[in-house]
């Protein structure tokens, strides 16, 4: 009204008065707050019961709903999770038909858009009970045509109250989703007066919008047995809706649907709404980023392996090789099984051991299905049969090789790999010159290889020899004063008796990443123990106060000794005591030409998809300090202008950074029957003796690389256990173990980045992490590519190939080709072979580039994430141009000649 007043003496307040008149003319009831009531039964796909029980829970709950619908014609019911519908369709076909009929009436309403209500940090939409939401979800939702979002979980945050209930949620790339948090903070109210009043009072955007959703009903097939949960009881809720429909002094309650609610907001209130930018962080359950490490390891491995199978068979489809048809059925089944385990109590590790067992056997089956498939596909590619069949632009190495390397990434890679001894013996000329190779302790042969982007490269013995005969390295490993020095062309690391990094010099810049600050007791690669006694749920939570119980591991069982020793790899091994029964054993290695220092924690005797987020390293506000443990996928980086530290991993998700400390949580373990938990984490610490701005021109990337296995068994509970660990802590309950990095001698960065991303190899390997000093920004230093390479190593197969074949190359490192696959609907692949290519911008900048392929391209079209064509693109015979905005994800349908 104030904005409508002008200085015009006569008419200055005319418009404002009109608005005021209309406002006060409204009778009671006309503008009354409206509650959109929807029946809902939050059925956890697995939690305190296995998957098999959920099938029955769905049938029981939904048949009750159908009966109630017959009696109450206004009843509406919202139901998510396609997997649950698939189970009922298969096991209870008659019930399924009834559900279909009610769905046709618009009363049994499918919501969600995802296979299960998955975890929202590690892989959205209708996710009332997920423990945090990645900043990339708005873009992904939009890509599949979903523009509305609902959750209640953020209301569980311990420290800060989220300021909105109906608002725009803006993601990393700028995409916005209309979002609603039902103000009763509950997905199973009982239409009681408290919830009704809370829905009105707790609606934080009152004034901007006058509607809210209230979900009512019994969750998980009945909830607490002590509560009345009969048919009649749900009927009481329905009767209450009837009574409260229009009562003076109370908000109106109406049987409604998500569509009616969101449409009303869209029609009336969109311009009034506030915007929240970035992730929706849940200030609780941070332990779920680490709990049940095995499940998280399997998830990472299998997501990557399935993508690799898709890439290999896409290549074979374009090459049109007989006997190599695209394995649609196995891929479909395997993806659905991996997705099933992404349910929000399975992947986060918050379900019972029975569910964990179920989940692992599902993973093992997926692995058993796709491993031979991948091997067969790689054998076909390596056979060179395509070579004789069709002419493509290849890079002839002039050598016929019986060992073929497959690179799944769209960039060239040069690195030391290991080849089984027998396979190496089959190489032509292998015995003539062995100068360029190294025999490792496991009987494998280490060779230095250069692999073409996304494709196959014959192993060239000539190149290996050249590399081996190159510049002579000085002594790699030296023992000096109790310290060990590992040194190659790029790095010099000083490691003490406890395996801690005292110094890591980046030779190009001459700068040391670590400061030997013994006074504070901080060192790089420091293993630490923490007590861990959460206030609420053991398997879900870790509290900030655990950080006050830090205990470094310094008792040496075995001092560092030389392990691998040759021209390509040098490494040392050492062993530390955790308790009288437990120990940790680690190998630190440095490869020739490597810019990373690798950590393989071989024995522990006890243990955003797409894009990145910038986070503060300080805790100025309560919002900052509540994030003492956050999600990250393949890497995290702490940088200043042109120098920083990156921490890469191949199966971990829980990160934290405060001031100069970066920590990666490695594992949560059940250690007693109570159950209690231990978390193992690695920390990277940066000291900052000087103020922030303008100091320092060096950059450090840490790629700690470690394999861990738990070996202390507790037969009484049948799970891997670290039960004796608490013996050395004061409290006999929960324990954290960390390794810590103390990285110094450069100014304190105020921000760090984490990568929300998900992505297997043929079997889960031990965990790895590595560290590496680099100059320039983490983007230019290749941290993102290095993280991909750590997660999906080069594969070797036997074959007969004399030409390298690179399927795709992208000429801009900011553009990453994430997925290559056949469309889900392959029915009309008549004229040519159509592939779906999904790429994204990874650096956070505008990027342009050219994607090239040796295969003749017929058509290129942009499509959405559902693979529906949107627009045709111009292209050349073997390439097309791509233009991306920061963190944008794009998909193309590319047709090749058959
Ligand atoms: Zn749940």
């Amino acid at each position: 009204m104030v904005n409508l007043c002008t200085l015009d003496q006569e008419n200055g307040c005319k418009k404002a008065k009109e608005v005021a008149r209309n406002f006060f003319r409204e009778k009671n009831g006309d503008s009354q707050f409206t509650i959109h009531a929807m029946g809902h039964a939050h059925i956890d796909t697995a939690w305190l019961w296995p998957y098999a029980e959920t099938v029955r829970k769905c049938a029981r709950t939904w048949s009750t709903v159908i009966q109630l619908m017959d009696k109450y014609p206004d009843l509406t019911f919202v139901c998510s999770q396609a997997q649950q519908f698939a189970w009922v369709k298969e096991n209870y076909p008659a019930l399924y038909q009834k559900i279909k009929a009610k769905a046709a009436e618009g009363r049994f309403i499918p919501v969600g858009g995802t296979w299960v209500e998955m975890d929202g940090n590690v892989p959205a939409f209708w996710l009332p009970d997920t423990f945090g939401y990645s900043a990339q979800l708005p873009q992904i939702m939009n890509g599949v045509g979903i523009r509305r979002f609902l959750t209640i979980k953020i209301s569980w945050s311990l420290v800060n109250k989220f300021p909105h209930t109906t608002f725009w949620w803006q993601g990393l790339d700028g995409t916005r989703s209309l979002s609603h948090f039902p103000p009763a903070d509950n997905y199973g109210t009982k239409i009681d007066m408290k919830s009704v009043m809370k829905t009105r009072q707790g609606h934080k955007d009152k004034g901007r919008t006058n509607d809210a959703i209230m979900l009512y009903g019994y969750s998980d097939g009945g909830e607490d047995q002590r509560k009345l949960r009969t048919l009649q009881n749900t009927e009481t809720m329905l009767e209450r809706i009837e009574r409260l429909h229009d009562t003076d002094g109370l908000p109106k309650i109406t049987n409604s649907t998500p569509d009616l609610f969101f449409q009303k907001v869209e029609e009336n209130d969109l311009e009034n709404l506030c915007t929240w930018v970035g992730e929706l962080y849940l200030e609780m359950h941070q332990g779920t980023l680490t709990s049940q490490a095995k499940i998280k390891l399997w998830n990472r491995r299998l997501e990557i392996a399935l993508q690799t199978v898709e890439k290999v068979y896409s290549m074979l489809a374009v090459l049109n090789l007989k006997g190599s048809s695209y394995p649609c059925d196995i891929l479909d089944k395997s993806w659905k099984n991996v997705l099933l385990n992404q349910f929000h109590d399975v992947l986060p590790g918050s379900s019972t051991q029975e569910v964990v067992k179920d989940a692992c056997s599902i993973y093992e089956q997926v692995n058993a299905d796709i491993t031979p498939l991948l091997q067969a596909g790689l054998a076909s590619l390596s056979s060179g049969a395509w070579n004789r069949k069709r002419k493509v632009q290849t890079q002839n190495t002039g050598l016929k090789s019986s060992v073929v390397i497959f690179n799944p990434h769209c960039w060239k890679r040069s690195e030391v790999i290991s080849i089984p001894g027998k396979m190496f013996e089959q190489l032509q000329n292998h015995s003539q010159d062995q100068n360029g190779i190294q025999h490792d302790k496991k009987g494998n042969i280490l060779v230095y290889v250069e692999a073409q982007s996304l494709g196959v490269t014959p192993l060239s013995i000539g190149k290996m020899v050249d590399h081996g005969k190159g510049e002579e390295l000085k002594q790699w490993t030296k023992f000096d004063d109790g310290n060990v020095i590992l040194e190659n062309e790029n790095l010099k690391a000083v490691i003490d008796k406890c395996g801690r990094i005292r110094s890591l010099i980046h030779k190009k810049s001459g700068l040391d990443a670590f400061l030997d600050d013994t006074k504070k007791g901080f060192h790089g690669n420091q293993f630490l123990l923490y007590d861990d006694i959460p206030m609420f749920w053991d398997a879900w939570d870790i509290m900030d106060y655990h950080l006050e119980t830090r205990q470094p591991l310094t008792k040496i069982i075995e001092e560092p000794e030389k392990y691998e020793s040759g021209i390509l790899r040098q490494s040392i091994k050492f062993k530390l005591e955790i308790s009288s029964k437990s120990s940790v054993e680690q190998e630190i290695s440095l490869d020739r030409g490597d810019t990373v220092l690798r950590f393989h924690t071989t024995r522990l005797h006890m243990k955003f998809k797409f894009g990145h987020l910038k986070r503060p390293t300080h805790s100025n506000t309560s919002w900052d300090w509540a994030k003492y443990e956050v999600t990250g996928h393949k890497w995290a980086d702490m940088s200043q202008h042109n120098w920083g530290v990156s921490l890469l991993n191949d199966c971990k998700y829980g990160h934290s950074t405060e001031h100069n400390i970066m920590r990666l949580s490695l594992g949560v373990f059940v250690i007693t029957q109570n159950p209690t938990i231990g978390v193992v984490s690695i920390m990277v610490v940066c000291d900052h003796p000087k103020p922030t701005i303008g100091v320092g021109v060096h950059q450090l990337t840490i790629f700690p690389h470690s394999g861990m296995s738990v070996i202390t068994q507790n037969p009484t509970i049948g799970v891997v256990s670290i039960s004796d660990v608490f013996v050395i802590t004061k409290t006999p309950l929960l324990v954290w173990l960390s390794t810590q990095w103390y990285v110094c001698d450069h100014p304190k960065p105020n921000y760090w980045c984490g990568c929300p991303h998900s992505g297997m190899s043929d079997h889960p390997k031990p965990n790895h992490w590595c560290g590496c000093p680099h100059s320039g920004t983490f983007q230019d230093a290749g941290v993102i590519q290095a993280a991909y390479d750590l997660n999906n190593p080069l594969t070797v197969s036997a074959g007969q190939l004399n030409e390298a074949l690179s399927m795709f190359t992208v000429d801009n490192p900011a553009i990453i080709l994430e997925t290559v696959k056949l469309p889900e609907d392959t029915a009309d692949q008549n004229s040519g072979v159509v592939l779906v290519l999904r790429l994204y911008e990874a650096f956070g900048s505008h990027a342009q580039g050219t994607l090239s392929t040796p295969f003749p391209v017929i058509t290129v079209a942009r499509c959405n994430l559902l693979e529906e064509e949107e627009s045709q693109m111009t292209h050349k015979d073997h390439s097309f141009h791509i233009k991306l905005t920061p963190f944008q994800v794009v998909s193309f349908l590319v047709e090749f000649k058959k």
Side-chain angles (χ1 to χ4, degrees), residues 132 149 489 676:
F149 171 74
E489 311 93 308
T676 48

Side-chain angles (χ1 to χ4, degrees), residues 591-637:
D591 284 355
R592 182 143 191 190
D594 234 352
T595 52
V596 304
L597 190 59
R598 296 172 190 269
F599 299 81
H600 323 257
T601 309
T602 48
R603 288 215 176 156
L604 185 62
H605 293 236
M606 50 135 247
K607 182 187 173 177
F608 232 64
K609 199 142 178 136
F610 307 125
H612 59 261
L613 278 182
K614 205 172 173 185
R615 302 177 182 278
T617 57
H618 52 72
S619 46
N620 284 355
T621 68
S622 59
W623 295 86
D624 296 331
W625 77 255
K627 294 180 182 175
Y628 51 87
E629 181 89 357
V630 298
T631 332
H633 282 227
K634 291 175 182 151
W635 58 271
D637 175 87

Side-chain angles (χ1 to χ4, degrees), residues 753-768:
C753 296
C755 166
H757 179 91
S758 53
M760 169 175 154
S761 59
D762 48 351
H763 52 270
K765 296 189 205 87
N767 316 318
H768 296 85

